Amino acid sequence: MTTGTKPKIVVVGAGIAGSLAVSGLAERSDIELICLERAAETGQIDAGTGLNIGPNAIKALAAIMPERARTLIDNSLPWKQWTVELTDGTPLMNLDLGTVADNAGIRIRWAELYALLRRPIARHIRFGTELTSISHGDEGLFVDVQDASGAPGKRICGIDLIIAADGRYSVARQTQWGQEPPNFLGVCLYRLLVPAGIDCPIDDYGQWFNGPNRLLAFRVPGDFVYIAGSFPIPADSPIPETAKLGPALRGLYTPQNGSLTAHTKFLVDAVETYADRIHWARLQDGTVQFAGPPGVLLLGDAAHPMVPTLGQGATQSVEDACVLVDEVRRALDRGEPLDLVPARVEARRRERVEFVVSLSRAATDTMLEGADPVAGTLKKTQPAFLSQLERLYRDVPEPLA
């Protein structure tokens, strides 16, 4: 930092972690705050589909950024139940989250979440601006950027802290640590958002199995239903094109007796009807990496790509942002250099995140080839797993004194 100037913070990515990081620091008059977002300002109006954010994120946010927690709660539906059945209606689990958490989670559309998070910080966001490199030189820490056309933008120099929250395929992570091959778990995962319509039976968070083939669904604001389907595939193989066809998908979830419940009939009909709108992916995770070279910190999916089995991807991004905001506020109030922040965030986050990544991966057991969803779900009703859920939902980051 140049003597007499304000510390400069550059946030890369206006997703969940990035937007909340900016939001928690936006009212500080003692810093210069810039957020780079590669999408155009209107480029993610229809981004994604829907998501559930765990009770732990809401608890952490309420402790460190209470106004943001209230905004999310007021504009979402609560997540209070977790039910599991077979697609023929056989019940396997009905968990009241209140028995393992101190508060409810939320259900919301991605597009609405982006809008809520970005609206208060729009003045700090440079849309259509993509990071191309992070460097140290005579000018200190600096970044190079380009616009949507690929044309170079103006280099940003004299940076005290870079917060790289640019997603699972983070350019910032690749420029500092190189390309890391993903760890595929042998599961195809797809998602879509469909109209609820009249007499839709889907409400709170539910899962339905036919063997290891799983449907997950819940309602989100705007009278829509979010559906995430999965089925096993070889870990080293792409998703077969024939598996993406409507009739093939129907076959995956139809039990031998052909009897679907009202819930599973709605979901199977929707998957077949809207098969051409499905977003396809393969279940994967990666290593945890927070602090990089001096003054560089990864957050969110850039720091800890994880499987979405327990809905903790976005949730841990919220926790990350809460700890980052707490540490930056403390450093500024104490007059300490901001390049100390990455190591401090990592010290508070690594053990927690590694636990969450591991638990999420273990919870995919019922989705793997040859899995028995009945036995696997029964294990999730036992004290050993429920105690891990309590740790997940209750042991959240809190502001330091």
Side-chain angles (χ1 to χ4, degrees), residues 133-179:
S133 67
I134 298 173
S135 304
H136 292 260
D138 294 339
E139 304 164 279
L141 186 61
F142 64 91
V143 298
D144 288 309
V145 300
Q146 65 183 20
D147 64 21
S149 70
K154 184 177 180 181
R155 173 175 289 178
I156 303 173
C157 300
I159 302 170
D160 295 87
L161 177 62
I162 295 175
I163 302 164
D166 51 340
R168 182 179 291 265
Y169 304 104
S170 167
V171 172
R173 179 164 179 157
Q174 291 177 25
T175 62
Q176 300 299 299
W177 293 275
Q179 185 83 33

Side-chain angles (χ1 to χ4, degrees), residues 81-350:
Q81 295 290 132
W82 176 6
T83 59
V84 184
E85 299 178 355
L86 299 182
T87 56
D88 66 5
T90 302
L92 301 179
M93 185 175 83
N94 189 347
L95 178 63
D96 178 353
L97 291 191
T99 63
V100 291
D102 295 326
N103 50 271
I106 65 170
R107 296 172 278 140
I108 193 168
R109 292 181 64 185
W110 273 104
E112 180 63 18
L113 179 64
Y114 279 150
L116 290 171
L117 295 180
R118 292 173 176 176
R119 193 173 296 129
I121 60 170
R123 68 187 186 279
H124 294 287
I125 304 176
R126 298 183 184 180
F127 288 100
T129 305
E130 182 176 6
L131 175 80
T132 58
S133 67
I134 298 173
S135 304
H136 292 260
D138 294 339
E139 304 164 279
L141 186 61
F142 64 91
V143 298
D144 288 309
V145 300
Q146 65 183 20
D147 64 21
S149 70
K154 184 177 180 181
R155 173 175 289 178
I156 303 173
C157 300
I159 302 170
D160 295 87
L161 177 62
I162 295 175
I163 302 164
D166 51 340
R168 182 179 291 265
Y169 304 104
S170 167
V171 172
R173 179 164 179 157
Q174 291 177 25
T175 62
Q176 300 299 299
W177 293 275
Q179 185 83 33
E180 178 182 306
N183 174 40
F184 291 111
L185 276 68
V187 176
C188 168
L189 186 69
Y190 64 86
R191 66 179 189 264
L192 73 159
L193 194 71
V194 301
I198 300 173
D199 299 326
C200 170
I202 305 299
D203 188 8
D204 212 338
Y205 183 97
Q207 298 175 353
W208 295 264
F209 284 92
N210 184 43
N213 308 321
R214 191 191 77 172
L215 288 167
L216 178 155
F218 50 85
R219 195 181 289 241
V220 294
D223 205 28
F224 287 92
V225 172
Y226 171 66
I227 303 173
S230 71
F231 53 87
I233 58 173
D236 58 353
S237 299
I239 304 166
E241 291 301 316
T242 54
K244 299 179 181 181
L245 302 176
L249 292 170
R250 174 176 290 276
L252 289 174
Y253 306 107
T254 302
Q256 286 188 343
N257 64 9
S259 177
L260 294 168
T261 67
H263 291 77
T264 52
K265 184 179 186 304
F266 175 89
L267 296 175
V268 171
D269 287 348
V271 167
E272 183 173 30
T273 299
Y274 298 103
D276 60 342
R277 302 186 189 179
I278 289 175
H279 174 85
W280 297 90
R282 288 186 289 168
L283 207 63
Q284 60 179 281
D285 61 13
T287 60
V288 177
Q289 180 70 60
F290 280 102
V296 180
L297 173 69
L298 301 180
L299 285 190
D301 286 345
H304 42 70
M306 67 180 70
V307 296
T309 312
L310 293 176
Q312 286 294 309
T315 301
Q316 289 304 307
S317 293
V318 174
E319 286 194 16
D320 283 355
C322 288
V323 173
L324 176 280
V325 167
D326 190 43
E327 287 294 341
V328 171
R329 288 172 175 173
R330 292 176 70 241
L332 291 170
D333 291 344
R334 296 178 176 187
E336 296 173 339
L338 293 183
D339 60 7
L340 298 175
V341 167
R344 291 174 175 176
V345 171
E346 175 150 16
R348 290 176 64 179
R349 292 295 290 151
R350 177 169 283 277

